[in-house]
Amino acid sequence: MKKITMLLCLFLCLGLSAQGLDLNQPLPVNTKFKKGVLPNGMTYYIYNTDVTKGVASYYIIQNVGSILENDNQQGLAHFLEHMAFNGTKNFEGKGILNTLQKHGAVFGRDINAYTSFDETVYNMDNIPTKDGLIDTCLLVLHDWSNYLLLTDEEIDAERGVIKEEWRTRQNGRMRILQQSLPIMFNNSKYSKRLPIGLMNIVENFDYKALRDFYHDWYRTDLQAIAIVGDINVDEIEQKIKDKFSKIPAVKNPKERFYVEIPGNKEMLYNIAMDEEVSTANISFSINHPKKIKEQTIGDLKTSLLRNIATSMVSTRLGEIQQQPDAPFLAARVRFAEKAKLNNDLSIDITPKPGKQQEAFKTVMNEVNRALKFGFTDGEIDRIKKQYANYYENAISKVDDTPHGQLINAIKADYLSKQTITPIAEEYKIVQAIFSSVTKEDFNNTLKALYSKENRTLSVTGVKGKNNLTKEEGLVIINASENNSELTAYTDKFSGKTLISDVNITVGSVVSEEENKETGATIFTLSNGVKVYYKFVDKNKNDVKLVATSYGGTSLLATEDLPSANIMGNIVQMSGLGDFSATELPKVLAGKTANTSINLSDLTESISGSSTTKDVETMLQMVYLRFEKPRFDEDAYKVLQGNITNYLARKSKDINSKMQDSVTVTLYGNNNPKVRLMDKAYMEDVTFNKMKAVYLDRFKNAADFTFFVVGDVKKDALKPLLAKYIASISANTTKENYKVDPKVWTSNAIDKDIFLKMEDEKGSVRVGYKNEMKYSLKNAILASALGDILQLRVTETVREAEGGAYSPRAGASFSKRPISEGSISVGFDCNPDKVDDLLKIVHVEIKKIANGEINQTDLDKTLTNFIKERKESKDYNSYDMSLLQNYVLEGYNMNNPKNFENIISAITTKDIQKFTKTLLKGAKTYEIAFKPKQQ
């Protein structure tokens, strides 16, 4: 708080005057980012941060994407991304993955890549900076730049993986997108360049086509490397110069062209429908050409005004959305990049069933209300507070900026010339802009975005329903733009505070003790509540709260379970205390504090988070969660509409059908504790039951254990606990959960399920579970088994067979309500390979039980466990887990005997024994989905 106050004082003393702003002046550059360009044209960025100690992240950003493909290369930009993990000059085969996995990195999470229309980015995240790994990762980047092997054998092996990735992603919504692309991109090249490509090309292209694309476009003048982490910037820069300067620049390179979406005089229209899509969407957009250029203060001002103007309209739409008679479920307005040379004003609407025309009319009237009358002083003041709060928080947490956020800034700088500006200096400029802008500036900004040309209306329709036509759309737009009955928006907010009309009887802190093992302070309050508190500022200006109690839905009557399971939605949608969900954000404008509730099978809990300055607001919200929760019947009516739409959407969605089929197969059609969410289920949900369940589960604060961890000093927190937590109603009653496990229909389930599918695919689910004695070692062994099985399934099902894109395997150990180990495997796949792939899965599990375990797989897994535990200790969240495990589970995470010593002693024989025990007499299921023949 002191740091923020000093910064604000500095801004006031040194602040830019509105008159002193030169809008043509370039934005200031954050010089902490070391940026350079090698003689061969490669750009590099280096940034030192110890947000996570002892690790660094490495990226190569290719200014290359699917837009550069020739017609016979569709899909090859993405295919090439895959090939970067299948052999390079210094890492043959799976050498990159094997090398980094030995040091605890995980493929998919720490090592990955993506391809889009205009960029391809590869990453190695949070790699330890010891054991020569800095040089190793730089060598990987070096090879990714120019030295992929692209062997015939590896190319052919990857074709099947790509086909399965396409199959996994191919669903109703994807087919809707494919139908919409020509109009969305006005028949430009973008409309024919989805990165996944065409499968007839992927399965049949000549090797030369891929190598040609690689040599044409993977070159130093279109590449940037970025290294962010706990590193010495000067040393890294020298290493980059030594290693990467030797990569030859391409002679006579092809021009890196950019594609502009052309304009249009008349409104373009598209309607797309699919057998598996049963809910509508409407998108009205206006295309705006843009340039890739260095950013100025004027650009920052323009961007700021655009974001604020569209945000204020979206807020108004959100208020309408929370009214029971609103014709839409959701609507928003935004202005964002659509393509490299185009931005887009988009108005996106999810109409209620049968109300497409009314929804479009309501939203367009609201947009035109803002265009005609502008915005109120109250709206503008609140959003200025929100922006000030954002910048102040960002400044206070600048040293805690995660690697991913830093990398995103680098990507924007390299690919789009969006200047990386020091956050404090940017805030200074924003303050000067705010001091000079008027209501008319915001109104004129919106008017400039709402142009008469370059318009597109894209509708996701529903077969057999009254879908919005082009003619109807044009009539509605014209009527809204010329609606003489529109009146100015009225801001009804009264300016009250969160607890303006709440009478609080302040309690007290009756005792305080220190726990040396965890470094926690234990406060006992006058109402019997215990609060475990620890000051931690690893993450600055960040405070978390958890209050948890045993009981959950296990203590409820069976007939109350549907209402209990939906209850969290109505609590969040109703607002809090005296304020509706519409009013609450206005009350909290300029503050960073929130709370949420959760009701599970065994527990009920309240979670909260805030900045240091807003801890009091967070505790006020916790007080109100207990003492003055809000249940809004209008919000309940809105929720009913949302659920009706959800049920309609899932009724034809193939993945929802699969999940429901799994539930019925495991638990039966008439299990009162495990029911499908359908119309009958929702008929058993009532407003009064949800309210009664909440008041029952959250009625006694003393039955909750409170934890507060973060950047708040004890002397500041203590009186706030006395005022807001000690004052909550409480009694001496203590509850526990009931043991009533959900039982499968059979101990051995084996079922094939045939479903009608528009795009045929197979999908498999395999599971084992068995009661076993709980121990920390068994819990760790289960996690290790899951990770080893993931490595084996990836190697066999994905790589060797090309049968699935992303097979998922895991194992876990639950302590409550019964002590139980479990294994699960699942993936989408080629329907012709379902039975063969299932055999492979079972063989791999049995191999582990028989002791056929690669020591290298175990080493990779255990190294990852140690790596992740070490990294987690750099964050406040570790200390929250430390306190919760100490108090609720009875062990100290900081004691090596509870983790590190267990890890170091685990052998392949331990994994074998654990797996063998789990499988002996285990309950099992094998469910295979296959396409129903027409």
Side-chain angles (χ1 to χ4, degrees):
M1 182 65 191
K2 184 178 179 182
K3 181 178 179 182
I4 294 173
T5 304
M6 290 174 64
L7 282 166
L8 289 175
C9 179
L10 181 66
F11 293 152
L12 290 173
C13 296
L14 303 177
L16 296 169
S17 68
Q19 292 75 20
L21 277 179
D22 178 0
L23 297 182
N24 294 316
Q25 183 179 340
L27 286 169
V29 175
N30 189 337
T31 55
K32 189 177 178 184
F33 287 82
K34 182 75 173 182
K35 179 181 179 181
V37 181
L38 300 176
N40 58 13
M42 177 179 284
T43 304
Y44 62 86
Y45 298 81
I46 313 167
Y47 187 93
N48 169 259
T49 173
D50 64 353
V51 61
T52 306
K53 294 178 176 60
V55 302
S57 296
Y58 305 80
Y59 281 66
I60 184 165
I61 304 159
Q62 314 262 7
N63 187 12
V64 175
S66 58
I67 198 67
L68 300 176
E69 295 167 343
N70 297 329
D71 286 344
N72 69 338
Q73 295 175 322
Q74 291 179 64
L76 298 198
H78 171 249
F79 201 108
L80 193 57
E81 171 216 311
H82 278 237
M83 293 307 299
F85 299 96
N86 288 299
T88 70
K89 177 181 178 181
N90 291 288
F91 301 91
E92 293 187 3
K94 298 295 183 290
I96 291 174
L97 297 180
N98 289 330
T99 299
L100 296 178
Q101 286 172 335
K102 289 176 183 176
H103 295 277
V106 176
F107 180 48
R109 185 177 66 225
D110 302 315
I111 315 162
N112 214 330
Y114 72 84
T115 305
S116 65
F117 287 121
D118 278 289
E119 67 200 63
T120 307
V121 178
Y122 301 83
N123 66 283
M124 297 170 283
D125 283 326
N126 295 317
I127 308 299
T129 52
K130 60 182 181 179
D131 302 329
L133 282 172
I134 290 177
D135 290 331
T136 299
C137 290
L138 290 176
L139 187 58
V140 172
L141 294 181
H142 167 272
D143 280 13
W144 277 344
S145 168
N146 194 56
Y147 300 101
L148 303 188
L149 295 181
L150 302 179
T151 65
D152 295 359
E153 296 77 15
E154 291 288 357
I155 290 172
D156 287 337
E158 201 64 21
R159 294 182 198 265
V161 175
I162 302 277
K163 178 67 178 286
E164 294 314 310
E165 180 177 359
W166 171 86
R167 196 190 309 274
T168 294
R169 299 184 191 281
Q170 195 71 6
N171 55 31
R173 291 290 167 186
M174 177 58 75
R175 291 189 294 272
I176 290 288
L177 174 63
Q178 290 163 343
Q179 293 177 52
S180 305
L181 286 172
I183 296 303
M184 184 184 299
F185 291 108
N186 198 4
N187 294 302
S188 67
K189 192 176 181 182
Y190 281 107
S191 65
K192 298 178 180 179
R193 288 298 182 271
L194 273 183
I196 194 67
L198 301 178
M199 289 307 101
N200 64 324
I201 290 178
V202 166
E203 293 178 295
N204 299 295
F205 68 83
D206 292 335
Y207 306 123
K208 184 177 183 299
L210 183 66
R211 292 167 186 149
D212 285 348
F213 186 87
Y214 175 54
H215 292 300
D216 285 343
W217 300 116
Y218 271 44
R219 59 188 206 230
T220 52
D221 62 307
L222 297 178
Q223 294 172 335
I225 57 172
I227 297 89
V228 169
D230 194 2
I231 40 89
N232 182 300
V233 171
D234 292 336
E235 289 182 6
I236 293 293
E237 182 175 35
Q238 190 57 54
K239 288 176 182 287
I240 288 171
K241 289 178 178 179
D242 292 344
K243 186 176 297 290
F244 291 85
S245 295
K246 298 173 184 176
I247 301 173
V250 172
K251 295 179 180 179
N252 302 314
K254 283 190 172 184
E255 177 190 359
R256 198 307 187 191
F257 59 88
Y258 293 92
V259 174
E260 182 176 356
I261 301 169
N264 49 282
K265 297 286 186 181
E266 301 295 325
M267 185 184 78
L268 304 176
Y269 172 83
N270 176 73
I271 184 165
M273 290 182 280
D274 188 88
E275 291 291 345
E276 293 177 9
V277 175
S278 51
T279 54
N281 281 283
I282 301 167
S283 178
F284 176 66
S285 61
I286 301 174
N287 173 28
H288 289 264
K290 73 180 182 77
K291 295 179 180 179
I292 302 174
K293 65 181 186 67
E294 301 295 340
Q295 300 292 290
T296 64
I297 290 175
D299 292 321
L300 175 60
K301 179 180 179 180
T302 299
S303 176
L304 193 65
L305 292 176
R306 286 171 171 173
N307 289 338
I308 289 176
T310 54
S311 175
M312 288 191 288
V313 179
S314 290
T315 298
R316 291 183 184 183
L317 293 172
E319 293 176 2
I320 297 173
Q321 174 185 324
Q322 294 172 61
Q323 299 171 9
D325 59 351
F328 56 86
L329 297 163
R332 68 171 181 177
V333 179
R334 60 176 181 154
F335 187 81
E337 182 177 283
K338 185 172 189 174
K340 275 296 178 188
L341 299 180
N342 297 85
N343 287 325
D344 199 45
L345 175 71
S346 62
I347 301 170
D348 301 312
I349 309 164
T350 304
K352 288 182 178 177
K355 295 193 174 183
Q356 292 182 36
Q357 291 77 4
E358 186 182 350
F360 189 52
K361 177 182 177 180
T362 301
V363 172
M364 294 309 297
N365 277 342
E366 206 56 40
V367 170
N368 280 282
R369 188 191 313 280
L371 288 163
K372 187 172 183 179
F373 298 103
F375 303 99
T376 67
D377 290 332
E379 289 176 294
I380 294 169
D381 288 343
R382 282 193 297 274
I383 205 156
K384 284 182 178 180
K385 287 180 182 178
Q386 292 168 9
Y387 270 81
N389 187 56
Y390 160 76
Y391 277 105
E392 289 163 15
N393 289 341
I395 290 165
S396 69
K397 297 179 180 182
V398 68
D399 292 334
D400 295 330
T401 306
H403 289 190
Q405 191 174 329
L406 296 167
I407 290 294
N408 285 339
I410 290 170
K411 287 194 293 185
D413 182 86
Y414 178 65
L415 296 170
S416 302
K417 296 189 177 180
Q418 294 181 19
T419 308
I420 307 174
T421 304
I423 192 69
E425 293 185 48
E426 183 175 313
Y427 183 31
K428 208 167 138 184
I429 297 168
V430 168
Q431 286 181 309
I433 293 170
F434 277 166
S435 71
S436 66
V437 294
T438 64
K439 287 197 291 186
E440 287 70 27
D441 290 327
F442 293 110
N443 195 16
N444 290 335
T445 295
L446 190 62
K447 287 179 178 177
L449 296 181
Y450 190 80
S451 59
K452 298 292 185 181
E453 297 183 352
N454 303 332
R455 294 179 169 189
T456 301
L457 178 60
S458 183
V459 177
T460 298
V462 181
K463 291 190 175 182
K465 301 298 181 182
N466 182 22
N467 298 305
L468 180 67
T469 66
K470 179 177 183 179
E471 292 72 22
E472 289 172 330
L474 287 170
V475 169
I476 290 170
I477 292 167
N478 183 63
S480 292
E481 291 173 351
N482 296 284
N483 189 345
S484 60
E485 297 180 1
L486 289 176
T487 57
Y489 170 82
T490 303
D491 189 358
K492 299 176 182 178
F493 179 58
S494 60
K496 291 182 178 181
T497 65
L498 192 60
I499 55 171
S500 292
D501 298 324
V502 179
N503 294 317
I504 298 175
T505 303
V506 178
S508 62
V509 177
V510 298
S511 72
E512 176 183 329
E513 59 180 298
E514 306 296 323
N515 181 278
K516 293 183 178 178
E517 280 194 87
T518 60
T521 300
I522 307 162
F523 296 111
T524 302
L525 309 185
S526 53
N527 59 353
V529 169
K530 282 191 180 294
V531 180
Y532 293 81
Y533 155 76
K534 186 175 183 181
F535 172 80
V536 189
D537 63 350
K538 300 168 186 175
N539 303 116
K540 303 291 184 184
N541 200 25
D542 182 75
V543 183
K544 295 290 191 292
L545 175 146
V546 173
T548 186
S549 166
Y550 283 123
T553 60
S554 73
L555 301 183
L556 299 178
T558 301
E559 60 266 23
D560 291 339
L561 292 179
S563 295
N565 291 333
I566 301 296
M567 181 203 71
N569 295 284
I570 194 62
V571 170
Q572 213 64 27
M573 292 173 65
S574 291
L576 186 61
D578 293 324
F579 302 101
S580 69
T582 298
E583 297 164 332
L584 191 59
K586 298 178 181 180
V587 175
L588 297 175
K591 298 181 184 294
T592 302
N594 65 76
T595 59
S596 61
I597 66 103
N598 183 60
L599 180 63
S600 68
D601 291 351
L602 307 182
T603 64
E604 48 272 337
S605 63
I606 295 177
S607 300
S609 66
S610 75
T611 54
T612 302
K613 73 177 178 65
D614 293 322
V615 168
E616 182 170 10
T617 300
M618 176 182 70
L619 294 178
Q620 289 172 351
M621 296 176 78
V622 173
Y623 173 88
L624 293 172
R625 290 288 180 202
F626 281 102
E627 291 295 307
K628 204 170 183 180
R630 185 181 176 90
F631 303 93
D632 190 321
E633 293 203 51
D634 280 347
Y636 176 58
K637 293 173 184 175
V638 173
L639 176 62
Q640 287 178 307
N642 291 346
I643 291 174
T644 298
N645 193 70
Y646 167 73
L647 294 179
R649 186 171 71 246
K650 76 190 288 271
S651 67
K652 291 189 177 182
D653 179 75
I654 192 66
N655 291 322
S656 295
K657 288 181 179 181
M658 287 183 179
Q659 187 54 52
D660 284 352
S661 297
V662 169
T663 300
V664 170
T665 302
L666 292 181
Y667 298 102
N669 268 310
N670 301 303
N671 189 322
K673 293 188 179 299
V674 187
R675 294 175 58 185
L676 299 182
M677 185 183 283
D678 53 20
K679 187 177 180 181
Y681 183 93
M682 289 310 303
E683 287 173 352
D684 290 338
V685 175
T686 72
F687 177 78
N688 288 332
K689 277 186 180 180
M690 288 193 287
K691 182 177 179 180
V693 167
Y694 183 92
L695 295 177
D696 175 67
R697 293 294 80 220
F698 293 87
K699 66 188 175 186
N700 177 20
D703 194 31
F704 286 73
T705 304
F706 283 71
F707 302 90
V708 179
V709 171
D711 188 8
V712 57
K713 294 294 178 66
K714 180 170 72 173
D715 291 344
L717 178 66
K718 190 173 176 180
L720 298 177
L721 293 175
K723 184 173 183 179
Y724 298 113
I725 306 303
S727 58
I728 300 172
S729 303
N731 58 57
T732 57
T733 303
K734 298 291 182 182
E735 293 181 323
N736 205 344
Y737 59 85
K738 286 198 305 188
V739 177
D740 187 12
K742 299 165 184 174
V743 180
W744 291 352
T745 57
S746 170
N747 290 339
I749 297 169
D750 187 350
K751 188 172 183 179
D752 287 355
I753 299 173
F754 296 88
L755 296 175
K756 180 184 175 183
M757 305 177 191
E758 292 300 306
D759 283 302
E760 294 188 349
K761 69 177 180 179
S763 194
V764 303
R765 311 285 191 277
V766 173
Y768 297 76
K769 69 176 182 178
N770 208 343
E771 291 187 27
M772 301 171 69
K773 183 178 178 181
Y774 180 84
S775 66
L776 285 174
K777 181 176 181 179
N778 274 349
I780 292 171
L781 286 170
S783 295
L785 165 60
D787 287 2
I788 291 169
L789 184 58
Q790 179 67 66
L791 290 170
R792 299 300 310 138
V793 169
T794 298
E795 185 175 324
T796 53
V797 172
R798 173 181 160 127
E799 301 299 341
E801 295 294 323
Y805 167 60
S806 184
R808 305 170 305 283
S812 61
F813 208 108
S814 61
K815 186 177 182 180
R816 302 179 185 91
I818 57 174
S819 179
E820 184 177 74
S822 62
I823 298 171
S824 63
V825 181
F827 48 84
D828 294 340
C829 62
N830 183 334
D832 297 331
K833 292 188 174 184
V834 167
D835 295 330
D836 290 339
L837 296 177
L838 278 169
K839 290 176 185 176
I840 290 172
V841 168
H842 290 297
V843 165
E844 291 302 327
I845 293 171
K846 288 175 182 176
K847 280 183 178 179
I848 296 173
N850 292 333
E852 296 179 50
I853 303 166
N854 294 330
Q855 183 65 45
T856 54
D857 287 349
L858 178 60
D859 291 343
K860 290 174 183 178
T861 296
L862 299 182
T863 301
N864 171 254
F865 289 176
I866 295 295
K867 172 182 178 288
E868 290 194 343
R869 173 59 65 90
K870 179 177 179 293
E871 291 170 11
S872 72
K873 291 182 178 182
D874 291 334
Y875 296 86
N876 292 359
S877 57
Y878 173 83
D879 293 271
M880 177 62 84
S881 297
L882 171 69
L883 295 195
Q884 289 184 287
N885 281 317
Y886 186 84
V887 175
L888 302 177
E889 307 298 339
Y891 74 94
N892 184 356
M893 288 172 61
N894 281 339
N895 191 328
K897 74 175 185 178
N898 293 320
F899 189 75
E900 288 82 359
N901 293 356
I902 296 173
I903 297 291
S904 63
I906 289 176
T907 66
T908 55
K909 288 190 178 298
D910 292 319
I911 301 294
Q912 177 192 7
K913 181 180 177 182
F914 176 84
T915 308
K916 201 169 186 178
T917 302
L918 196 161
L919 296 184
K920 186 177 180 181
K923 298 172 183 176
T924 65
Y925 66 81
E926 177 185 296
I927 303 170
F929 292 97
K930 299 175 181 179
K932 182 184 290 186
Q933 299 304 312
Q934 303 298 316

